């Protein structure tokens, strides 16, 4: 009996037409990894197709999985505030995630679904969708939010704690996006807004200020 690969990947589900509308429609039927089995739906990116700034997070959360929209939960609201405080409110921005389905743990049928980090295999399986979004939007500046997004974009050796807020050339020298033809002028990584929310009360203001500072660095890349 043939053994089915655990993560066959999204490549086979990509449509011939690579507009954002076509990609979003096709992604709704993606079975490239096992996450679709427990998620309510695919949560694709949102924003204008001509966006100059692209923000890439880890995966949808509980609220996003329910509503079907990226960054509409508590972390999304904090990110929206940080974007405004960084002077990017008027910048056309596209938000998405490295993984398009919500990975969670908890009792099936229970009210509380606890976020669980996607595996390396699940991130790799979903990477064709992220590559297609980059090619469709063609942003000027790319920002990875958190370790999962940074690993997907810059390679598994990238460390947000060591390299956050630093403007990087695109494409990266190593990783799945090495040689990517998208004309991105600069890229950087910072923490995920959920990390700010998880910070201790006495540390949260400083964590938020750090996120805003990194987003201001991204704003410099747009000038």
């Amino acid at each position: 009996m043939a053994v089915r690969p655990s993560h066959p990947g999204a490549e086979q589900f990509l449509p011939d037409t690579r507009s954002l509308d076509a990609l979003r429609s096709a992604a709704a039927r993606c079975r490239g990894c096992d996450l679709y089995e427990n998620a309510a739906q695919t949560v694709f990116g949102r924003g204008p197709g001509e966006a100059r700034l692209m923000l890439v997070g880890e995966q949808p959360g509980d609220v996003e999985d329910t509503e079907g929209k990226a960054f509409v939960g508590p972390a999304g609201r904090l990110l929206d505030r940080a974007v405004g405080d960084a002077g990017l409110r008027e910048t056309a921005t596209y938000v998405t995630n490295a993984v398009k389905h919500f990975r969670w743990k908890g009792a099936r049928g229970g009210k509380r679904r606890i976020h669980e980090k996607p595996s390396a295999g699940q991130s790799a399986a979903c990477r064709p969708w992220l590559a297609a979004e980059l090619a469709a939007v063609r942003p000027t500046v790319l920002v990875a939010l958190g370790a999962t997004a940074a690993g997907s974009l810059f390679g598994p050796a990238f460390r947000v704690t060591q390299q956050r807020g630093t403007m990087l050339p695109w494409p990266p020298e190593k990783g799945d996006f090495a040689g990517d033809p998208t004309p991105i002028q600069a890229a950087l990584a910072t923490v995920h807004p959920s990390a700010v929310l998880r910070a201790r009360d006495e540390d949260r203001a400083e964590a938020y200020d750090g996120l805003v500072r990194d987003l201001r660095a991204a704003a410099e890349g747009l000038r």
Side-chain angles (χ1 to χ4, degrees):
M1 179 184 298
V3 178
R4 188 181 73 173
S6 57
H7 303 304
E11 189 71 38
Q12 60 188 296
F13 298 95
L14 293 176
D16 294 333
T17 301
R18 299 295 174 88
S19 68
L20 286 176
D21 286 342
L23 290 169
R24 184 175 294 105
S25 178
R29 300 184 293 275
C30 185
R31 303 294 183 266
C33 76
D34 57 343
L35 290 182
Y36 78 92
E37 296 174 0
N38 290 323
Q41 57 193 311
T42 303
V43 181
F44 205 70
R46 63 182 178 87
E50 69 282 2
R52 298 185 64 208
L53 174 65
M54 180 182 281
L55 304 175
V56 182
E58 179 188 78
Q59 66 165 340
D62 181 73
V63 176
E64 289 81 3
D65 182 57
T66 300
E67 297 189 13
K69 296 179 180 179
F71 284 101
V72 293
R77 291 192 292 272
L78 186 141
L79 178 62
D80 186 62
R81 178 161 62 93
V83 164
D85 288 344
L88 291 164
R89 178 71 64 196
E90 303 304 318
T91 302
T93 303
Y94 185 91
V95 294
T96 190
N97 286 293
V99 174
K100 310 303 186 194
H101 286 106
F102 179 36
R103 187 183 190 192
W104 57 276
K105 58 184 177 181
R108 189 176 293 275
K111 293 183 178 180
R112 190 179 182 197
R113 301 189 299 172
I114 302 172
H115 164 278
E116 190 169 24
K117 181 179 179 179
S119 70
Q122 289 161 344
S123 294
C126 208
R127 206 158 288 137
W129 292 119
L130 182 55
E133 284 176 295
L134 281 172
V137 177
R138 298 170 66 84
T140 302
V141 173
L142 176 65
V143 178
L145 302 168
T148 297
S152 288
L153 291 168
F154 305 121
F158 190 91
R159 295 293 177 266
V160 174
T161 53
Q162 300 172 12
Q163 298 167 275
R164 63 175 292 182
T166 301
M167 298 302 287
L168 304 165
W170 188 266
E173 294 182 358
K174 298 179 180 180
D176 288 347
F177 285 95
D180 177 73
T182 309
I184 293 168
Q185 294 181 10
L188 63 80
T190 186
V191 297
H192 195 282
S194 63
V196 177
L197 294 175
R198 292 194 303 268
R200 296 180 301 180
D201 290 346
E202 60 269 29
D203 298 330
R204 193 165 298 134
E206 182 179 355
Y208 177 77
D209 289 345
L211 173 61
V212 172
R213 184 169 56 250
D214 292 341
L215 292 174
R216 283 180 179 149
E220 289 299 317
L222 294 167
R223 297 188 191 283

